Amino acid sequence: MMRGKICGTGSYVPEHYLDNHDIAGIVETSDEWIRERTGIVRRHIADNDTTVSMAIKAGQAALENGQVEAQELDMILVSTITPNTIIPCTACEVQKAIGAVRATCFDLSAACSGFVFAYNTAQAYIAAGICKTVLVIGSETLSTIVDWQDRGSCILFGDGAGAAVLRAEEGECYPWVTHSDGAKGEVLSCESRNQRNWQEKEQDRKTYTYMDGQAVFKFAVKRVPEVVRELLKKTELSVDDIDWFVLHQANQRIIESIARRMKTDISKFPMNIAEYGNTSSASIPILLDELNRKGLLGPGQKIVLAGYGAGLSWGAALLEWA
Ligand code: UT7
């Protein structure tokens, strides 16, 4: 039996950022309101970067960190809801840039659950014996689909990319659980997409993201503890055995509420939302990379990844650090 072990991580965010005071100059809001309701202080916004350029930088950093050559990759999987182009896909653009000539490349669209869904897909390919080395990337320029006139949503989102390289090793597969509920899709939606910079005004309302914030909040705090319980039921582990819960960074209050509902100390839920806001499928790998580079991940530590968002979709995966 084969399973994928993370052997390298990487991330990249644009240099340019907007803090809460900058946002208060765009819509009627305040630094105090945003900090209290979300925990966000600033978010990085792409000026010259794109989903593709950030995916390349995060992917290269992960390969370097894992000492993996691009030619070794059997697969590149990019999770994104904001690709530069419809075709070719982002993963093929990454392949071209890094010279991963042997890799099969495709994108996956599952919004803020996207990294967990892509990670699980990579694990499935490895377990089936199809791939040995896979690069999984989450990259988003959400600033290009945000409604910059809607204070209920534009305060939340940021741009960035994160990546992890998986290498096959002998061992039993780690468990994962994923769910979707398309019937509730309307609470977080964006109908169509035009390529634009965040400062360009777009008349077509269909190209803006609509969000019922409260509905998404309630969904997240209910479903994440549920899916983690479901995940741990597949093992002999309890929440106390888990060292880190690396959750999608959507709102500090969502994460705090999840920790309370799981009766688990908040210190096991690392957060970097203050710096980056919600970067959708990039948030989990950016956080994982931060923990890795700070030396906070030790061999044998058990980590639960959990994502939740548009679709609706949610999922969790267990892994052991190398
Ligand atoms: O990856 C998944 C993506 N989405 C999410 O995770 C979103 C989850 N939801 C949330 O994070 C929260 O619902 C928000 C941060 C979006 C909103 O916070 P809330 O505590 O649910 O606020 P609310 O929508 O209930 O609004 C409360 C009040 C309203 O005013 P009234 O009607 O009470 O007078 C809003 O108009 O706050 C007002 N409000 C604001 N005020 C200042 C809404 N947005 C703002 C704002 N600044 N930016």
Side-chain angles (χ1 to χ4, degrees):
M1 193 85 188
M2 301 304 278
R3 66 182 177 194
K5 197 124 200 170
I6 294 182
C7 63
T9 61
S11 60
Y12 175 83
V13 294
E15 242 174 73
H16 174 65
Y17 65 83
L18 296 177
D19 67 19
N20 292 343
H21 299 288
D22 296 324
I23 299 278
I26 302 171
V27 288
E28 203 184 321
T29 188
S30 65
D31 176 48
E32 191 189 2
W33 194 96
I34 301 173
R35 277 178 199 250
E36 262 175 28
R37 300 286 180 123
T38 69
I40 298 167
V41 177
R42 51 189 183 173
R43 65 292 288 143
H44 293 247
I45 301 289
D47 254 356
N48 302 315
D49 292 294
T50 66
T51 295
V52 167
S53 70
M54 294 191 297
I56 293 167
K57 287 175 184 152
Q60 278 171 329
L63 292 179
E64 228 167 85
N65 181 242
Q67 297 180 318
V68 174
E69 296 296 325
Q71 292 81 358
E72 290 178 60
L73 293 173
D74 301 306
M75 177 176 281
I76 301 173
L77 206 46
V78 177
S79 164
T80 186
I81 51 169
T82 46
N84 290 23
T85 51
I86 295 167
I87 45 174
C89 68
T90 313
C92 279
E93 294 288 310
V94 173
Q95 176 193 34
K96 180 172 70 180
I98 67 175
V101 286
R102 292 182 46 249
T104 297
C105 306
F106 59 95
D107 290 3
L108 185 150
S109 167
C112 305
S113 307
F115 185 79
V116 173
F117 280 35
Y119 173 84
N120 293 343
T121 304
Q123 289 287 1
Y125 272 87
I126 290 170
I130 301 167
C131 292
K132 283 203 172 86
T133 314
V134 182
L135 176 60
V136 185
I137 303 173
S139 185
E140 307 284 5
T141 40
L142 299 174
S143 62
T144 65
I145 60 166
V146 156
D147 182 350
W148 287 100
Q149 289 162 49
D150 175 20
R151 67 176 183 173
S153 62
C154 76
I155 55 160
L156 289 176
F157 298 105
D159 301 336
V165 201
L166 274 62
R167 255 209 174 115
E169 65 167 20
E170 285 284 346
E172 205 178 313
C173 269
Y174 296 118
W176 69 79
V177 184
T178 45
H179 292 290
S180 304
D181 183 3
K184 299 205 180 68
E186 77 274 5
V187 301
L188 188 46
S189 61
C190 182
E191 281 185 51
S192 74
R193 176 152 162 78
N194 280 350
Q195 271 305 328
R196 60 179 153 92
N197 180 280
W198 71 277
Q199 282 163 312
E200 287 171 47
K201 292 256 180 316
E202 167 66 61
Q203 297 309 318
D204 186 358
R205 304 287 310 163
K206 286 183 181 164
T207 65
Y208 289 121
T209 301
Y210 164 79
M211 182 179 77
D212 177 344
Q214 285 197 7
V216 178
F217 197 108
K218 285 180 193 151
F219 147 76
V221 299
K222 179 166 184 273
R223 293 303 192 188
V224 176
E226 235 174 58
V227 80
V228 173
R229 255 197 312 276
E230 196 182 344
L231 175 77
L232 294 180
K233 247 194 188 159
K234 293 183 160 200
T235 70
E236 291 181 348
L237 303 172
S238 75
V239 287
D240 296 336
D241 299 313
I242 305 302
D243 296 286
W244 300 106
F245 293 92
V246 178
L247 265 47
H248 165 51
Q249 306 284 294
N251 182 324
Q252 184 176 323
R253 284 193 299 135
I254 290 181
I255 296 173
E256 287 168 351
S257 171
I258 289 169
R260 268 197 309 277
R261 283 169 188 238
M262 287 170 51
K263 298 186 174 49
T264 307
D265 199 280
I266 191 70
S267 63
K268 284 191 176 186
F269 292 74
M271 283 186 247
N272 61 7
I273 188 162
E275 178 64 32
Y276 305 118
N278 177 344
T279 56
S280 192
S281 70
S283 79
I284 290 175
I286 290 174
L287 181 55
L288 203 58
D289 185 46
E290 209 170 285
L291 295 170
N292 184 20
R293 283 171 200 268
K294 282 183 181 162
L296 293 170
L297 306 178
Q301 281 193 346
K302 294 180 180 63
I303 301 171
V304 167
L305 310 180
Y308 47 93
L312 294 173
S313 61
W314 63 106
L318 174 73
L319 64 97
E320 218 171 48
W321 199 250

